[in-house]
Amino acid sequence: MEPFKTLKSRTVVLAQPNIDTDQIIPARYLTTTRRDGLGAGLFADRRFDGDGRPRPDFPLNRPEVADCEILLAGHNFGCGSSREHAPWALLDYGFRAVISTGIADIFRSNALRNGLLPVVVSETQWNTLAGFEGEQIEIDLEASTVTAPSGERMAFEVEPFGRFCLLNGTDPLGFLRSREDRITAFEESGPWRR
Amino acid sequence: MPSDMPGVKPRTLFEKVWDAHVVEAETAETPAILYVDLHLVHEVTSPQAFALLRAQGLPVRRPERTLATVDHAIPTDSATWRAGLVRMPEAARAQIRTLGDNCADADIELLGINSSRRGIVHVIGPEQGATQPGMTIVCGDSHTTTHGAFGALAFGIGTTEVGHVLATQCLLQRRPRTLNVILDGRLPEGVTAKDAVLAVIGTIGVDGGTGFVIEFSGSAVRAMDMDQRMTLCNMAIEAGARSGMVAPDDTTFEYLAGRPKAPKGKAWDEAVARWRQLATDPGATYDAEVRLDVSRLEPQITWGTDPGMVTPVTGSIPEAPAGSPAARAVDYMGMAPESCMQGQPVDVVFIGSCTNSRLTDLRDAARVLEGRKVAQGVRMLVVPGSQATKRKAEAEGLHRIFEAAGAEWHESGCSLCIAMNGDRARPGEVVVSTSNRNFEGRQGTGARTLLASPLTAAAAAVAGVVTDPRPYLNSHRRIA
Ligand code: SF4
């Protein structure tokens, strides 16, 4: 995983609440044994009509948002399934961060483990940021702040271990493996674990 | 630990299971390392995890604590099976083959495509007795919460975490908070666990459980059989909860006794004695509590595009201010704003999924369908949760009731719950479904899903429109 330190990008807004993982990546794209290439299916049923033509009213289809790396999403983003294909699709499409007033549990931990930064802000802060759609905002993970074009700085919280891994490009599996002795001892001590 | 021991803090069911699995305690900097007793694996969310292990040259640490099956991508319609699965798309075939190879390499038990014990991963775990009280159970699938019905701590994980568990049998986890959902009273005739859990989600919202593990308690839960408790816990994730749990009791032990993977003989007696200690101690506290009296509950049905958009079947679509998420949902559903749910036309009825595909669910559907016909123009699919469930249903003659009514009787699998295996609804079609998600496009691009119980779904099939199932119950014998 690439380290994530700061990110400066314009934003695209998807204000609708409860955008679920089936909308992020419809199930028919899940018959893959790989993790790359899923950007093609990102929001597929929202981005394209029945004939595969882009829907002009879907925010991601506006030409001026083409290189946005920050998605400003409605409340409870990523609810639904545990499919890691959802953050994979967002990353493959080019997003590096999602800002919302609420991000679903499993999606958030999946995002964090893949270098897609989940940022939770208050409703007021979200509204402020939405007012700057299309303008550059800055995310600083070290300082854990989002800075609006107005200069307003908003602090956010990320689970400290996930933050550490992201800042340093550390693989959490390495941490788990460094505890193998303890795991073995635990297995041997458990009253009902052979 | 018994609660009457002096100096011991009373604990909840969740706390007891959590505490017993902490390999290394949580600190400000690092999450807890939590040991996993049972890892369930399926074809869709595992290939990338096995690839990760291969890339790092790591073995699967505890293959004997891992159980795999195929459910999401496999076709269920009998014609495809009779034709030797030649119509199965190559991508699905590759996923199933990859799982087979991975399991063979790692020595993991696979209830594969030709196994008589295969089925939906959350149906076969309990059915085989692999799911047991007090365990930690994970799977790369959010409805892993189902297994919490046995007093296990069970939750869905992403594919990276599937890799972590394969390699270390552990997970990095922050301890969730606890929410006690108390269901008082007794469910009226014709009202099921599905209706109760839809009502709970309607009450607390689709993010009402975020950050929590829900314990379902109260007299209504005590009175439920295991199938109903599984339905309840299955949908805990639809309220955003990490997991759902029910304290094990005699109902749980009776269900498990004699199952292939359940302990036997002396080990069984010891296990039951241990499992009896798991229930929440008197005086233990939860972080939050919700209470619902179910004694006047009506059958529930969803009208929108998330499971919290729900109403009694006798009710109507609530007022939706222009521009609101509700208005957007009503628009997607193609229904008239504020119209009654009863009488809404139906194209497809689906009985199945890890929420409602077990034997008692099939009996419920048969109870409505016996001696009746599926309405003209309605397609009805009945998809058992596992091959073992299918055999049991056939032994009772349920399939004859379905077929006589004009419904399709399928092989087991996820089927129309998720449009990735050949079963899907067409754009614009309205599906009354016993599954768990009414998200846009979940059952096919442009398909519209109404979530309901097997009774309500079967009644809709007969009426051809959404209808109250209760008048359909009395004229027929209760199959039990
Ligand atoms: S039946 Fe549906 S919800 Fe259950 S595991 Fe299969 S796809 Fe997931």
Side-chain angles (χ1 to χ4, degrees):
Chain A
M1 190 168 64
E2 258 180 72
F4 186 121
K5 296 201 183 321
T6 58
L7 174 64
K8 242 189 227 174
S9 165
R10 295 181 299 128
T11 59
V12 53
V13 180
L14 265 186
Q16 185 200 330
N18 302 324
I19 293 181
D20 53 72
T21 45
D22 279 81
Q23 287 183 63
I24 298 172
I25 181 89
R28 60 183 182 279
Y29 292 95
L30 307 190
T31 51
T32 173
T33 54
R34 305 168 58 98
R35 55 200 290 171
D36 52 359
L38 285 158
L42 181 71
F43 295 120
D45 291 338
R46 307 286 307 279
R47 264 162 73 203
F48 305 108
D49 65 16
D51 302 317
R53 282 185 303 252
R55 297 179 203 265
D57 59 338
F58 188 65
L60 263 61
N61 288 333
R62 295 203 310 268
E64 68 274 16
V65 305
D67 57 352
C68 289
E69 293 177 294
I70 301 175
L71 181 66
L72 195 58
H75 186 69
N76 199 28
F77 185 79
C79 59
S81 87
S82 60
R83 58 181 77 157
E84 204 157 314
H85 309 70
W88 291 338
L90 285 157
L91 282 161
D92 192 55
Y93 189 83
F95 287 111
R96 309 257 344 259
V98 178
I99 305 179
S100 175
T101 54
I103 298 181
D105 254 1
I106 309 182
F107 177 86
R108 196 182 47 218
S109 74
N110 282 341
L112 211 46
R113 297 207 197 294
N114 286 278
L116 177 73
L117 181 66
V119 177
V120 176
V121 296
S122 73
E123 208 177 318
T124 322
Q125 292 171 331
W126 193 94
N127 287 330
T128 305
L129 293 173
F132 292 110
E133 182 173 21
E135 290 182 56
Q136 284 237 326
I137 68 167
E138 185 173 354
I139 301 177
D140 183 339
L141 181 57
E142 184 86 65
S144 295
T145 55
V146 179
T147 309
S150 58
E152 182 182 339
R153 197 163 290 188
M154 308 162 183
F156 64 87
E157 272 178 40
V158 183
E159 193 280 306
F161 184 72
R163 177 172 168 274
F164 171 85
C165 291
L166 211 49
L167 278 171
N168 300 287
T170 304
D171 180 0
L173 179 54
F175 174 78
L176 272 173
R177 293 191 53 222
S178 73
R179 297 301 198 270
E180 259 169 355
D181 287 356
R182 285 192 176 224
I183 298 170
T184 305
F186 179 86
E187 281 176 329
E188 285 163 1
S189 72
W192 61 88
R193 274 178 208 101
R194 291 149 280 166
Chain B
M1 212 56 77
S3 61
D4 49 2
M5 263 173 64
V8 176
K9 185 178 165 288
R11 291 184 298 167
T12 62
L13 165 64
F14 160 77
E15 290 173 303
K16 292 180 191 184
V17 181
W18 174 272
D19 291 351
H21 292 85
V22 173
V23 174
E24 190 172 309
E26 166 170 3
T27 67
E29 292 80 39
T30 52
I33 298 180
L34 196 69
Y35 194 78
V36 172
D37 291 323
L38 174 65
H39 185 194
L40 301 165
V41 170
H42 66 79
E43 74 276 26
V44 177
T45 56
S46 65
Q48 298 88 347
F50 282 105
L52 179 109
L53 261 69
R54 253 194 312 276
Q56 300 197 19
L58 299 172
V60 173
R61 184 183 171 94
R62 300 299 297 266
E64 77 283 9
R65 291 192 173 277
T66 316
L67 178 64
T69 194
V70 287
D71 51 6
H72 284 66
I74 55 162
T76 68
D77 76 292
S78 318
T80 305
W81 276 88
R82 274 196 305 271
L85 294 175
V86 287
R87 275 194 285 163
M88 183 157 64
E90 179 46 36
R93 208 180 288 276
Q95 259 184 348
I96 291 164
R97 198 171 46 230
T98 304
L99 182 65
D101 293 348
N102 285 332
C103 289
D105 281 356
D107 213 9
I108 291 170
E109 185 181 359
L110 168 66
L111 304 180
I113 194 147
N114 294 315
S115 167
S116 62
R117 296 188 294 146
R118 76 167 167 84
I120 303 174
V121 63
H122 309 311
V123 174
I124 62 161
E127 199 168 66
Q128 296 301 316
T131 299
Q132 293 166 20
M135 279 184 163
T136 44
I137 303 176
V138 300
C139 174
D141 189 285
S142 56
H143 292 99
T144 308
T145 57
T146 312
H147 308 265
F150 291 79
L153 173 60
F155 51 91
I157 57 177
T159 297
T160 302
E161 291 174 317
V162 170
H164 292 178
V165 179
L166 289 173
T168 68
Q169 205 58 33
C170 287
L171 269 180
L172 292 163
Q173 284 286 304
R174 292 279 175 192
R175 183 191 177 107
R177 290 174 296 156
T178 51
L179 168 63
N180 188 15
V181 172
I182 309 161
L183 303 180
D184 290 316
R186 173 203 263 264
L187 284 169
E189 172 77 347
V191 183
T192 66
K194 181 63 165 289
D195 303 295
V197 74
L198 284 171
V200 168
I201 299 165
T203 306
I204 69 174
V206 290
D207 66 343
T210 304
F212 290 105
V213 164
I214 295 177
E215 180 176 339
F216 293 99
S217 64
S219 52
V221 179
R222 284 298 123 218
M224 286 179 188
D225 61 25
M226 289 315 295
D227 286 3
Q228 294 198 57
R229 292 179 189 180
M230 283 189 258
T231 302
L232 212 53
C233 291
N234 173 277
M235 295 211 43
I237 181 70
E238 306 310 329
R242 195 90 246 232
S243 192
M245 299 177 90
V246 173
D249 59 11
D250 287 334
T251 306
T252 322
F253 311 144
E254 271 161 37
Y255 176 100
L256 283 173
R259 302 255 165 196
K261 291 183 184 296
K264 305 270 169 345
K266 187 163 161 278
W268 168 259
D269 296 334
E270 285 167 7
V272 171
R274 213 169 49 233
W275 295 341
R276 286 198 192 281
Q277 313 283 314
L278 285 168
T280 294
D281 298 326
T285 53
Y286 299 83
D287 296 304
E289 189 177 294
V290 175
R291 200 177 265 277
L292 216 74
D293 183 357
V294 299
S295 51
R296 293 228 177 84
L297 194 70
E298 293 197 81
Q300 306 281 307
I301 193 161
T302 62
W303 51 265
T305 53
D306 75 48
M309 294 175 169
V310 64
T311 167
V313 70
T314 53
S316 42
I317 300 170
E319 196 185 331
S324 67
R328 194 193 132 77
V330 173
D331 182 54
Y332 177 85
M333 296 301 290
M335 300 193 291
E338 293 168 58
S339 54
C340 291
M341 287 311 292
Q342 293 205 75
Q344 298 282 352
V346 171
D347 303 299
V348 181
V349 169
F350 172 55
I351 307 279
S353 89
C354 56
T355 314
N356 284 122
S357 64
R358 288 169 281 266
L359 191 59
T360 55
D361 300 314
L362 303 179
R363 283 178 186 158
D364 273 356
R367 186 180 169 200
V368 169
L369 285 178
E370 191 176 25
R372 296 196 172 104
K373 290 272 183 224
V374 173
Q376 198 99 106
V378 173
R379 177 183 178 207
M380 182 176 190
L381 296 81
V382 185
V383 186
S386 69
Q387 294 306 96
T389 303
K390 180 171 188 258
R391 282 191 300 276
K392 279 194 202 138
E394 288 177 351
E396 289 183 13
L398 300 185
H399 65 308
R400 288 199 215 298
I401 297 176
F402 300 135
E403 283 166 353
E408 301 170 18
W409 176 240
H410 283 223
E411 300 295 318
S412 68
C414 294
S415 181
L416 194 56
C417 175
I418 187 164
M420 65 174 296
N421 47 50
D423 295 332
R424 78 169 77 83
R426 289 191 292 257
E429 280 188 333
V430 174
V431 190
V432 179
S433 176
T434 65
S435 54
N436 40 57
R437 286 188 176 143
N438 51 351
F439 298 158
E440 288 181 25
R442 171 79 178 187
Q443 298 189 295
T445 305
R448 298 154 167 164
T449 304
L450 307 175
L451 301 176
S453 73
L455 293 174
T456 305
V462 171
V465 293
V466 172
T467 190
D468 187 336
R470 288 170 291 191
Y472 289 79
L473 302 178
N474 297 330
S475 55
H476 288 264
R477 77 183 159 95
R478 167 115 215 192
I479 304 163

